[in-house]
Each structure stands twice: as structure tokens, then as C-alpha cells.
């Protein structure tokens, strides 16, 4: 974001990283910008590792499932799809050839089919451009080595609270204890607002969060993202080699 026109001209850079966050309620203990703060951190780490152009976070995304809570601001999912298309298109037009999208918000489901379609559209238009999606659950099963709860810890729970305790403890407020854990299926968010199926807007186990777990989780997310990108690149080379035979 602080690079000048001259710096872009001098530096051969064809890779950009876009963090996508959310502005949505995260209970009484975490700020509405939690997903944006986490996405920005991971994207910054990836951009550093890959020597890529780090874009400012697209903070407002698909959070309609939290709209009953004041402070939540959201785009319709179709709007988010169009925004991602425009961002990728403007990057491609000025010379970028690859865009990595890291989403810190699990509710941005629309990104997956959108990016799947975009990559096919680029092929059909004969354009040299790829868009790669890295989801917030990239840490996968290995986060079970760090967290006490890998299941039913969906929102502002042990994972996100741990990361926030590591990144910005000054923004973590006291947790309001829940009398019972939310046990309905995750896809009930398709029908109900999160504040109607939870007691304080969080869904998980924030009481078990620690800053040390947060540090370990961020390191794991960074390493898993890099491993994913390397594996993808390897597969791309293998397929291209077969095609050019
Ligand atoms: Zn979140």
C-alpha cells in the first residue's frame, strides 16, 4: 500500500495478496474487525515470504448471518463475487499474473465458486492470470495439536480469541460466560441469525484461549498456506509439462 509508481516500475512483481476480512459482531469480548485483523496478519506474512504486493484488506464481506447485531456491515454475496472479479481484473490489466486471496472469514462461501469460475474464464479468454483461494481453515487437522476444541469452535471461540490475545490483547474484553454451548448444526446460519442461536454471539470456547495458542496457530496457518501454494505450483508444472509434450 505504501509503494510508489516508480517502485512498481522498478520491481518485477506479478504476484498480489488480498486479505479478505469481515465486519461483524464477535461476541462481547472481540472487536467486529477480528477477521480483518487476522486476515491482514496472515496476508502480510505471505506477501513477505513470497515477495508479493500486499493489498489492503477488503474488510467488508458476507456477514448477513450477523446482521441483527449493531456494528455488523455486510455485502450481499453476489456483490462480493463482483468485487473480487473487479479486483483481479484490475490487477491483471496492470501486469499482475497471480492473485492469492486469503479469507479470514469462513462465511465467505461465495469466494470458492467465484474463483473456480474466474480461473476457467481466464483460460477461455486466453489470459495469463490465476486466482488462488486460501481459506481461514487452512491450518486443517494439525490445529488439533494446539486447540482443545477443533469442532464446534466456529466464531469468536478458542481459535480466534487465542489469535487476538497474541496479536492485540488490548482489544480483547472479558468473556461473557454462556450457560450452555450451542449445539445446532453450523448450517443453521443459513436460516437464523447467529445472535438468535447463541447467547452472546460467540460459538465456541473462548474461555480456553491463550496468547501462546494464538502464536502457534498463526505460524501454522502461514506454513500451511505456503505448503499449499508450493504443492499447487508443483502440480501446475507437472500438468503444463504433459500438455507441452
Ligand atoms: Zn471471526
Amino acid at each position: 500500500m505504501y509503494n510508489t509508481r516508480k517502485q512498481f516500475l522498478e520491481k518485477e512483481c506479478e504476484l498480489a495478496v488480498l486479505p479478505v476480512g469481515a465486519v461483524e459482531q464477535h461476541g462481547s469480548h472481540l472487536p467486529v474487525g477480528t477477521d480483518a485483523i487476522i486476515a491482514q496478519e496472515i496476508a502480510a506474512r505471505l506477501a513477505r515470504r513470497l515477495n508479493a504486493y500486499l493489498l489492503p484488506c477488503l474488510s467488508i464481506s458476507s456477514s448477513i448471518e450477523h446482521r441483527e447485531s449493531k456494528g455488523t456491515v455486510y455485502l450481499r454475496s453476489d456483490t462480493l463475487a463482483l468485487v473480487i472479479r473487479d479486483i483481479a481484473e484490475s490487477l491483471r490489466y496492470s501486469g499482475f499474473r497471480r492473485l492469492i486471496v486469503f479469507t479470514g472469514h469462513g462465511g465467505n462461501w461465495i469466494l470458492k465458486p467465484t474463483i473456480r469460475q474466474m480461473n476457467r474464464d481466464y483460460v477461455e479468454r486466453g489470459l495469463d492470470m490465476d486466482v488462488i483461494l486460501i481459506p481461514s481453515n487452512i491450518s486443517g487437522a494439525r490445529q488439533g495439536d494446539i486447540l482443545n476444541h477443533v469442532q464446534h469452535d466456529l466464531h469468536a471461540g478458542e481459535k480466534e480469541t487465542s489469535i487476538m490475545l497474541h496479536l492485540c490483547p488490548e482489544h480483547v474484553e472479558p468473556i461473557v460466560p454462556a450457560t450452555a454451548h450451542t449445539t445446532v448444526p453450523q448450517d443453521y446460519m443459513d436460516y437464523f441469525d447467529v445472535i438468535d442461536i447463541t447467547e452472546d454471539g460467540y460459538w465456541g470456547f473462548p474461555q480456553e484461549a491463550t496468547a501462546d495458542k494464538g502464536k502457534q496457530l498463526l505460524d501454522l496457518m502461514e506454513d500451511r498456506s505456503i505448503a499449499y501454494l508450493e504443492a499447487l505450483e508443483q502440480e501446475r508444472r507437472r500438468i503444463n509439462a504433459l500438455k507441452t509434450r
Side-chain angles (χ1 to χ4, degrees), residues 24 26 34-35 104 155 160:
E24 62 185 33
H26 271 74
T34 293
D35 295 357
H155 182 71
E160 285 187 322

Side-chain angles (χ1 to χ4, degrees), residues 12-79:
E12 286 280 309
C13 180
E14 296 188 338
L15 176 65
V17 184
L18 173 70
V20 180
V23 176
E24 62 185 33
Q25 73 79 21
H26 271 74
S28 295
H29 60 289
L30 295 183
V32 289
T34 293
D35 295 357
I37 292 166
I38 295 171
Q40 186 74 48
E41 171 68 19
I42 294 292
R45 289 175 177 221
L46 297 182
R48 244 190 330 266
R49 292 267 296 260
L50 303 166
N51 203 16
Y53 172 30
L54 174 64
L55 287 154
C57 187
L58 176 60
S59 296
I60 297 175
S61 65
S62 296
S63 303
I64 199 165
E65 68 276 20
H66 295 283
R67 73 173 178 175
E68 298 295 330
S69 298
K70 196 169 187 178
T72 296
V73 184
Y74 62 93
L75 301 178
R76 304 173 78 92
S77 288
D78 340 21
T79 309

Side-chain angles (χ1 to χ4, degrees), residues 170-228:
E170 69 277 18
H171 292 303
V172 180
E173 300 289 333
I175 297 159
V176 175
T179 54
H181 188 70
T182 302
T183 52
V184 298
Q186 181 178 1
D187 61 13
Y188 274 26
M189 282 190 259
D190 295 348
Y191 317 107
F192 309 111
D193 195 280
V194 171
I195 204 62
D196 292 329
I197 47 180
T198 62
E199 291 180 24
D200 186 45
Y202 66 84
W203 191 332
F205 307 87
Q207 295 84 353
E208 296 177 53
T210 68
D212 182 57
K213 288 179 189 173
K215 181 186 180 307
Q216 291 184 60
L217 283 164
L218 284 171
D219 291 346
L220 178 61
M221 288 161 82
E222 176 186 345
D223 290 345
R224 292 273 302 180
S225 298
I226 294 289
Y228 178 73

Side-chain angles (χ1 to χ4, degrees), residues 3-13 94 96:
N3 299 92
T4 65
R5 178 173 185 273
K6 187 164 179 281
Q7 287 166 345
F8 277 110
L9 288 171
E10 287 167 356
K11 190 181 162 201
E12 286 280 309
C13 180
S94 67
F96 286 88

